[in-house]
Amino acid sequence: MPTALVTGASRGLGAAFAQRLARDGFDLVLVARDNVGLQRVAGEAARLGIKVEVLAADLADAAERAAVERRIADRARPVDLLVNNASYECGVDFRMADPEPLQTEIDVNVTAVMILTHAALPGMIERGRGSVINVASFAGYLSASGSAHSATKAWMIAFTDTVEASLAGTGVRMIALVPGRLRTGKHRELEPTGTSMMWLEPDAVVDACIADLARGRTVCTPGLLYNAVVRTLETPRRTLRTLARLTGHRRGQMRQPVPGPRPEITSS
């Protein structure tokens, strides 16, 4: 069976990914800070007859992040699908925020995504198959005033573009999921009770992402309203992405790394 590793898997979109991938026959490695939530999601997924490994880790902590990195890089237990879903939002205007939560945004939304993806790609390329899903946000395109969180999500979209362009011919795919507002129960006072074009169901968002990944798309924006806006904003980026795909494979051949031992992962 293939194996998927999902970060931020204890609730919301991460839990929805776990359930969908379990139904698709993936064994799971579930990562989050909340061990109680992880055990609950793991138990629900295990009922579908797949193997579930729970790895409680705070991706803002370098030592705990390194443990997840080692699990992903373990060639004896390959990860076929990496879902970078964990996210942190300071929730305070940049001008008034303390440096510590701002740094946590960077550690979780940027550093962890970069490090875990870097750990996953060599094995995937070696096997000639594999996928990475980076869960960004619509805020990465149209950010709220003063939001540093939105800047980290814009980075995720650009990061996906950059790395995906270098994967032509490897059999490995990468996609940025760009959801709008999600009905997760986190903001009960804001979520409308009826249908709304502004609010999306996590299960539907995951289904759309898996479908677009299979189609070979680089960006998935579920919801008619969000998709219409992003399609307009993406027009110049699509042109650049096409050019990057055309040149990426040759550029990759010209810049092969010098063979050498993989550096040991240490924690401070």
Side-chain angles (χ1 to χ4, degrees):
M1 279 188 176
T3 297
L5 186 145
V6 183
T7 67
S10 60
R11 62 180 184 273
L13 197 59
F17 265 111
Q19 285 296 315
R20 167 60 196 266
L21 294 172
R23 292 195 301 271
D24 287 350
F26 281 83
D27 289 334
L28 297 176
V29 182
L30 303 180
V31 180
R33 292 179 300 169
D34 178 9
N35 189 53
V36 174
L38 279 179
Q39 296 294 343
R40 175 183 54 80
V41 174
E44 293 170 354
R47 295 190 190 103
L48 297 173
I50 52 95
K51 296 178 182 178
V52 185
E53 178 183 347
V54 169
L55 185 54
D58 182 353
L59 295 180
D61 182 279
E64 296 185 24
R65 186 170 61 240
V68 181
E69 181 185 3
R70 287 192 295 269
R71 174 61 185 87
I72 293 172
D74 187 348
R75 301 295 179 90
R77 298 181 295 164
V79 170
D80 304 282
L81 172 62
L82 170 62
V83 182
N84 285 312
N85 169 71
S87 182
Y88 178 83
E89 183 174 4
C90 175
V92 178
D93 186 289
F94 178 80
R95 298 166 298 173
M96 297 176 285
D98 292 330
E100 185 175 350
L102 290 174
Q103 184 61 55
T104 299
E105 284 186 333
I106 297 294
D107 291 340
V108 176
N109 302 348
V110 174
T111 303
V113 172
M114 180 178 63
I115 292 295
L116 301 188
T117 301
H118 190 266
L121 288 181
M124 291 181 178
I125 293 171
E126 185 178 273
R127 295 187 297 273
R129 65 183 185 279
S131 301
V132 177
I133 296 172
N134 293 324
V135 180
S137 170
F138 183 73
Y141 285 104
L142 296 175
S143 62
S145 177
S147 172
H149 173 264
S150 298
T152 66
K153 294 302 183 178
W155 178 89
M156 290 182 70
I157 297 168
F159 174 72
T160 303
D161 267 349
T162 302
V163 178
E164 197 276 341
S166 71
L167 297 175
T170 65
V172 180
R173 295 171 294 175
M174 183 175 291
I175 190 171
L177 173 59
V178 186
R181 290 187 171 184
L182 294 169
R183 289 182 185 267
T184 62
K186 184 178 178 180
H187 303 290
R188 292 185 180 88
E189 70 281 3
L190 298 176
E191 297 179 18
T193 55
T195 59
S196 170
M197 294 183 68
M198 293 290 293
W199 290 86
L200 307 174
E201 298 294 339
D203 289 342
V205 168
V206 170
D207 290 344
C209 181
I210 298 298
D212 279 353
L213 179 65
R215 296 185 185 106
R217 293 178 177 170
T218 306
V219 177
C220 173
T221 311
L224 293 175
L225 177 61
Y226 296 111
N227 186 262
V229 174
V230 169
R231 281 179 66 87
T232 300
L233 297 174
E234 273 278 312
T235 299
R237 193 191 293 262
R238 280 198 301 271
T239 302
L240 294 174
R241 188 180 297 127
T242 300
L243 292 173
R245 283 178 172 173
L246 292 174
T247 61
H249 183 57
R250 182 179 179 185
R251 188 167 60 243
Q253 289 178 325
M254 295 172 63
R255 297 185 180 178
Q256 291 294 334
V258 177
R262 177 182 173 86
E264 294 184 3
I265 300 171
T266 60
S267 59
S268 56

